[in-house]
């Protein structure tokens, strides 16, 4: 597992929360950004995306290499 975080800067007291998603079906990411990679995954990398709940066009990504 690995814990990710997102820093969100907003104006006018807009929500600073994000939703998380994974590019791989077998690799999960919790609402708090905790990424769980199964030991038997066939993926060589995964892209995790954080999307602003206030503005879904505002995103950030992290690509993790699995070795």
């Amino acid at each position: 597992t690995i814990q990710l975080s997102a820093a969100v800067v907003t104006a006018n007291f807009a929500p600073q929360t994000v939703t998380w998603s994974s590019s791989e079906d077998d690799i999960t990411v919790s609402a708090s950004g905790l990424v769980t990679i199964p030991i038997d995954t066939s993926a060589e990398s995964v892209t995790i995306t954080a999307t602003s709940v206030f503005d879904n066009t505002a995103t950030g990504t992290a690509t993790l290499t699995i070795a």
Side-chain angles (χ1 to χ4, degrees), residues 14-67:
Q16 295 180 328
T17 53
V18 298
T19 57
W20 297 92
S21 60
S22 168
S23 63
E24 298 293 324
D25 290 337
D26 64 335
I27 298 174
T28 59
V29 58
S30 72
S32 65
L34 184 66
V35 179
T36 302
I37 302 169
I39 195 136
D40 62 347
T41 186
S42 61
E44 295 180 3
S45 67
V46 60
T47 300
I48 305 298
T49 303
T51 304
S52 166
V53 298
F54 179 70
D55 175 5
N56 66 5
T57 66
T59 62
T61 61
T63 301
L64 308 175
T65 300
I66 303 165

